mmCIF file of all heavy atoms in Angstrom:
data_model
loop_
_atom_site.group_PDB
_atom_site.id
_atom_site.type_symbol
_atom_site.label_atom_id
_atom_site.label_comp_id
_atom_site.label_asym_id
_atom_site.label_seq_id
_atom_site.Cartn_x
_atom_site.Cartn_y
_atom_site.Cartn_z
ATOM 1 N N GLU A 122 -9.210 2.451 -0.226
ATOM 2 C CA GLU A 122 -9.087 1.106 -0.765
ATOM 3 C C GLU A 122 -8.894 1.138 -2.305
ATOM 4 O O GLU A 122 -8.028 0.426 -2.856
ATOM 5 C CB GLU A 122 -10.316 0.268 -0.446
ATOM 6 C CG GLU A 122 -10.492 -0.053 1.046
ATOM 7 C CD GLU A 122 -11.064 1.114 1.865
ATOM 8 O OE1 GLU A 122 -11.389 2.176 1.247
ATOM 9 O OE2 GLU A 122 -11.203 0.972 3.085
ATOM 10 N N LYS A 123 -9.663 1.966 -2.968
ATOM 11 C CA LYS A 123 -9.591 2.035 -4.430
ATOM 12 C C LYS A 123 -8.253 2.600 -4.923
ATOM 13 O O LYS A 123 -7.800 2.268 -6.020
ATOM 14 C CB LYS A 123 -10.739 2.876 -4.968
ATOM 15 C CG LYS A 123 -12.081 2.197 -4.834
ATOM 16 C CD LYS A 123 -13.208 3.090 -5.360
ATOM 17 C CE LYS A 123 -14.552 2.361 -5.218
ATOM 18 N NZ LYS A 123 -15.681 3.222 -5.677
ATOM 19 N N LEU A 124 -7.628 3.487 -4.110
ATOM 20 C CA LEU A 124 -6.340 4.058 -4.502
ATOM 21 C C LEU A 124 -5.162 3.331 -3.867
ATOM 22 O O LEU A 124 -3.996 3.746 -4.009
ATOM 23 C CB LEU A 124 -6.295 5.540 -4.124
ATOM 24 C CG LEU A 124 -7.331 6.439 -4.846
ATOM 25 C CD1 LEU A 124 -7.200 7.877 -4.415
ATOM 26 C CD2 LEU A 124 -7.151 6.331 -6.364
ATOM 27 N N ASN A 125 -5.470 2.283 -3.100
ATOM 28 C CA ASN A 125 -4.434 1.476 -2.434
ATOM 29 C C ASN A 125 -3.541 2.348 -1.536
ATOM 30 O O ASN A 125 -2.320 2.239 -1.547
ATOM 31 C CB ASN A 125 -3.597 0.746 -3.471
ATOM 32 C CG ASN A 125 -2.741 -0.368 -2.844
ATOM 33 O OD1 ASN A 125 -3.185 -1.027 -1.907
ATOM 34 N ND2 ASN A 125 -1.543 -0.574 -3.374
ATOM 35 N N MET A 126 -4.195 3.201 -0.744
ATOM 36 C CA MET A 126 -3.473 4.148 0.121
ATOM 37 C C MET A 126 -3.594 3.748 1.588
ATOM 38 O O MET A 126 -4.660 3.322 2.038
ATOM 39 C CB MET A 126 -4.022 5.559 -0.082
ATOM 40 C CG MET A 126 -3.715 6.174 -1.409
ATOM 41 S SD MET A 126 -4.708 7.675 -1.739
ATOM 42 C CE MET A 126 -4.345 8.657 -0.301
ATOM 43 N N ARG A 127 -2.510 3.898 2.321
ATOM 44 C CA ARG A 127 -2.549 3.821 3.775
ATOM 45 C C ARG A 127 -2.242 5.223 4.272
ATOM 46 O O ARG A 127 -1.141 5.729 4.054
ATOM 47 C CB ARG A 127 -1.540 2.814 4.322
ATOM 48 C CG ARG A 127 -1.552 2.741 5.853
ATOM 49 C CD ARG A 127 -0.828 1.512 6.397
ATOM 50 N NE ARG A 127 0.444 1.281 5.767
ATOM 51 C CZ ARG A 127 0.758 0.166 5.107
ATOM 52 N NH1 ARG A 127 -0.122 -0.805 4.959
ATOM 53 N NH2 ARG A 127 1.972 0.010 4.557
ATOM 54 N N ALA A 128 -3.191 5.857 4.975
ATOM 55 C CA ALA A 128 -3.080 7.279 5.248
ATOM 56 C C ALA A 128 -2.993 7.607 6.725
ATOM 57 O O ALA A 128 -3.653 6.988 7.542
ATOM 58 C CB ALA A 128 -4.259 8.040 4.629
ATOM 59 N N GLN A 129 -2.146 8.609 7.018
ATOM 60 C CA GLN A 129 -2.204 9.293 8.298
ATOM 61 C C GLN A 129 -2.820 10.637 8.034
ATOM 62 O O GLN A 129 -2.397 11.374 7.177
ATOM 63 C CB GLN A 129 -0.799 9.476 8.909
ATOM 64 C CG GLN A 129 -0.842 10.171 10.270
ATOM 65 C CD GLN A 129 0.534 10.410 10.872
ATOM 66 O OE1 GLN A 129 1.481 10.699 10.163
ATOM 67 N NE2 GLN A 129 0.631 10.269 12.170
ATOM 68 N N VAL A 130 -3.888 10.940 8.782
ATOM 69 C CA VAL A 130 -4.654 12.163 8.585
ATOM 70 C C VAL A 130 -4.270 13.197 9.632
ATOM 71 O O VAL A 130 -4.207 12.889 10.818
ATOM 72 C CB VAL A 130 -6.159 11.875 8.648
ATOM 73 C CG1 VAL A 130 -6.983 13.163 8.594
ATOM 74 C CG2 VAL A 130 -6.564 10.951 7.482
ATOM 75 N N ILE A 131 -4.018 14.441 9.182
ATOM 76 C CA ILE A 131 -3.572 15.495 10.075
ATOM 77 C C ILE A 131 -4.557 16.677 9.963
ATOM 78 O O ILE A 131 -4.954 17.074 8.846
ATOM 79 C CB ILE A 131 -2.164 15.966 9.740
ATOM 80 C CG1 ILE A 131 -1.168 14.821 9.997
ATOM 81 C CG2 ILE A 131 -1.774 17.193 10.551
ATOM 82 C CD1 ILE A 131 0.258 15.159 9.597
ATOM 83 N N CYS A 132 -4.944 17.225 11.110
ATOM 84 C CA CYS A 132 -5.872 18.346 11.127
ATOM 85 C C CYS A 132 -5.443 19.341 12.188
ATOM 86 O O CYS A 132 -4.962 18.992 13.261
ATOM 87 C CB CYS A 132 -7.289 17.832 11.435
ATOM 88 S SG CYS A 132 -8.548 19.102 11.406
ATOM 89 N N TYR A 133 -5.595 20.642 11.874
ATOM 90 C CA TYR A 133 -5.298 21.713 12.817
ATOM 91 C C TYR A 133 -6.608 22.424 13.174
ATOM 92 O O TYR A 133 -7.467 22.670 12.325
ATOM 93 C CB TYR A 133 -4.355 22.730 12.195
ATOM 94 C CG TYR A 133 -2.922 22.251 12.092
ATOM 95 C CD1 TYR A 133 -2.477 21.565 10.962
ATOM 96 C CD2 TYR A 133 -2.013 22.449 13.135
ATOM 97 C CE1 TYR A 133 -1.175 21.098 10.865
ATOM 98 C CE2 TYR A 133 -0.697 21.989 13.033
ATOM 99 C CZ TYR A 133 -0.309 21.321 11.906
ATOM 100 O OH TYR A 133 0.995 20.872 11.815
#
Side-chain angles (χ1 to χ4, degrees):
E122 293 79 2
K123 290 178 180 179
L124 296 180
N125 195 34
M126 291 167 54
R127 179 166 46 239
Q129 181 181 37
V130 173
I131 296 175
C132 184
Y133 287 89

